[in-house]
Amino acid sequence: MSASLYDAGAADLAAEHEALIQFLYLAPVGLVQTRADGEILMINPISAQLLMPLQPDGNLLNLFDALENVAPELRHLCAMFTRPAGMVCDGLHIHLNGGTLRARRAPQVLSLSLLKLDEARFMAVLSDVSEQVRRERQLRQNDAWLNALLTSITDYALVSLDSEGRVCEWNETIGRVTGHSEAVVGTPYSVFYPRDAITHEQVRDRLHEADQNGWILDEGARQRADGSQFWASSMISPLPDHDSTFDDPDGPAYCLVLRDISDKREAIETRRKNMFCDHLTGVANRRAFFEAAELELQRNRRAPRPTALVLLDADHFKRINDRHGHPGGDAVLRQLGLMLVATFRQVDVVARVGGEEFAVLLPSSTGDGALAVAERLRQLVAQQAILFEGGRIELTISAGVAASDGVNLDLDTLMKRADQALYAAKANGRNRIECWTPALAAPVETPPKNPTPATP
């Protein structure tokens, strides 16, 4: 090849490379190219803008590290992706915060798609989808409403409720779907829910939201008179022209349509897990936690009631990973998730919100009540070693508890208080639970998460 042709080819390659770089920097979405371990090779300004709030020290060097506290499953998903190339995740929603004033200046929800280019490189695409998520939430409600109208109605129960949500009268559809007799008349509609699946306050909340929106629909486990459970879609709507001032206060004010959709449960559960579950532990993910927490605190502002939050960490988790590898750490987190679900109520929202950090929202629970349950969990964890590869991994947890106790608190304040109590538990020796007090609001020196043991 002549020198002139070589120079021309080199110039063409340089021009293509420059065009690629310009595309990377001017693309309307965030683009990040990384090594297999997450080390960032190239990043455009939009990605830097979206990710920098997660790295207060400005040390934005590794994508997995930057997202560890908000998308802890990402590193695990990449490690489990064994194909030489392909899509690791497409449109994974990452919730950054709980929707506070800060969130109005920065995105609440990021969408992440991650493509494995080859054995050595990944390409990430990031975008702010906060508004889209809010719209999708409303569309899901509309879709569920249409599904309830258009599918078979041979498996429904039609229940009339009074203004307090009590069953007004019995009919054959109630008996057919739930097995309840006429004795159900006069009891709250929570009789159709499993134990600990709904609080007294939430019974009233759903009636209020039906009044505001014209209807309210939710899906989940329901309970028959014999104690057996089934999967159901339930919709409550106010009866037209009902006025409790003039009408019989014990007469029908709402209509509850309860449909047995057990045959669709597997598909519904699969969709729910894909959207709202942490892939490693099976508990709720950050997205589900923040949506549930915001809704509960909105209800709290309308009708004050106690609400508690528990934040907890696995103690010395880095030591576990260093000694047993990430598979050992994953086994610990999975077992901790199982113990959390077994300890807290069905109505409580148990979520993994960081690498080894979990959060539990307890509706209608005081700080003392949350403390008692958290202490029960602490004892359970300390007493049950995790079996891994023929050995035993000892584990303890530290937790912080904060509660609104009827006071109007936003989610950021409640989480900040629980976090201060969690750090107090660590500072006081770990393997303990601390409740927030005003004294903890003063700045304290945070102990290192995994201090290096002194050399003898």
Side-chain angles (χ1 to χ4, degrees), residues 202-279:
Q202 288 174 340
V203 168
R204 301 297 302 275
D205 289 334
R206 282 166 168 75
L207 299 180
H208 175 78
E209 288 158 20
D211 286 331
Q212 283 190 319
N213 303 321
W215 53 273
I216 181 170
L217 183 141
D218 73 297
E219 294 175 349
R222 298 295 182 267
Q223 184 166 290
R224 301 184 181 89
D226 62 5
S228 62
Q229 293 189 10
F230 64 103
W231 204 256
S233 168
S234 58
M235 182 180 66
I236 299 175
S237 57
L239 295 177
D241 303 325
H242 176 81
D243 188 339
S244 59
T245 306
F246 300 102
D247 296 345
D248 179 4
D250 296 325
Y254 299 90
C255 176
L256 165 65
V257 180
L258 188 65
R259 298 182 56 250
D260 186 342
I261 55 172
S262 299
D263 58 328
K264 302 178 181 65
R265 178 175 182 177
E266 184 175 346
I268 293 169
E269 280 287 271
T270 298
R271 185 175 71 246
R272 184 187 66 83
K273 286 180 180 179
N274 289 338
M275 296 177 65
F276 299 113
C277 281
D278 175 63
H279 293 285

Side-chain angles (χ1 to χ4, degrees), residues 92-383:
L92 174 68
H93 284 184
I94 301 173
H95 281 241
L96 302 185
N97 50 51
T100 61
L101 290 174
R102 183 175 67 256
R104 298 190 183 101
R105 298 192 296 271
Q108 285 179 251
V109 188
L110 295 182
S111 173
L112 168 67
S113 295
L114 190 64
L115 179 68
K116 186 176 182 180
L117 301 176
D118 52 42
E119 292 296 341
R121 297 176 303 155
F122 287 93
M123 177 64 78
V125 181
L126 289 160
S127 57
D128 177 6
V129 293
S130 306
E131 287 300 322
Q132 178 184 334
V133 166
R134 279 188 278 273
R135 289 195 298 268
E136 285 177 352
R137 194 178 307 158
Q138 184 61 47
L139 286 173
R140 286 199 305 271
Q141 290 281 345
N142 292 341
D143 183 64
W145 164 252
L146 289 173
N147 181 63
L149 287 176
L150 298 176
T151 57
S152 170
I153 59 172
T154 60
D155 52 358
Y156 75 96
L158 189 63
V159 187
S160 58
L161 307 175
D162 66 16
S163 58
E164 298 297 318
R166 296 175 298 232
V167 179
C168 289
E169 55 189 21
W170 182 89
N171 61 59
E172 290 184 1
T173 66
I174 298 174
R176 183 178 67 236
V177 173
T178 73
H180 279 283
S181 67
E182 295 183 21
V184 76
V185 174
T187 61
Y189 71 84
S190 56
V191 70
F192 303 124
Y193 284 73
R195 178 178 172 273
D196 289 339
I198 189 170
T199 67
H200 173 73
E201 290 82 4
Q202 288 174 340
V203 168
R204 301 297 302 275
D205 289 334
R206 282 166 168 75
L207 299 180
H208 175 78
E209 288 158 20
D211 286 331
Q212 283 190 319
N213 303 321
W215 53 273
I216 181 170
L217 183 141
D218 73 297
E219 294 175 349
R222 298 295 182 267
Q223 184 166 290
R224 301 184 181 89
D226 62 5
S228 62
Q229 293 189 10
F230 64 103
W231 204 256
S233 168
S234 58
M235 182 180 66
I236 299 175
S237 57
L239 295 177
D241 303 325
H242 176 81
D243 188 339
S244 59
T245 306
F246 300 102
D247 296 345
D248 179 4
D250 296 325
Y254 299 90
C255 176
L256 165 65
V257 180
L258 188 65
R259 298 182 56 250
D260 186 342
I261 55 172
S262 299
D263 58 328
K264 302 178 181 65
R265 178 175 182 177
E266 184 175 346
I268 293 169
E269 280 287 271
T270 298
R271 185 175 71 246
R272 184 187 66 83
K273 286 180 180 179
N274 289 338
M275 296 177 65
F276 299 113
C277 281
D278 175 63
H279 293 285
L280 177 62
T281 63
V283 301
N285 59 18
R286 284 177 62 90
R287 173 182 184 176
F289 173 79
F290 282 117
E291 286 192 9
E294 280 295 343
L295 178 59
E296 188 61 31
L297 291 178
Q298 286 173 12
R299 291 166 170 171
N300 196 322
R301 287 189 284 273
R302 181 187 61 81
R305 83 287 300 269
T307 304
L309 175 66
V310 179
L311 287 182
L312 64 97
D313 262 356
D315 291 333
H316 303 303
F317 187 69
K318 186 175 185 300
R319 292 184 188 175
I320 294 173
N321 270 338
D322 290 344
R323 182 174 179 181
H324 301 279
H326 284 291
D330 289 350
V332 166
L333 294 177
R334 279 193 293 267
Q335 184 63 25
L336 183 53
L338 290 174
M339 287 189 279
L340 277 158
V341 172
T343 302
F344 287 89
R345 301 172 300 175
Q346 188 172 339
V347 73
D348 300 329
V349 182
V350 177
R352 183 184 178 206
V353 293
E356 69 270 22
E357 187 175 27
F358 293 79
V360 185
L361 182 76
L362 296 89
S364 303
S365 179
T366 64
D368 288 342
L371 175 63
V373 185
E375 175 59 24
R376 190 160 67 243
L377 174 69
R378 185 198 66 79
Q379 294 178 19
L380 177 65
V381 172
Q383 292 167 2

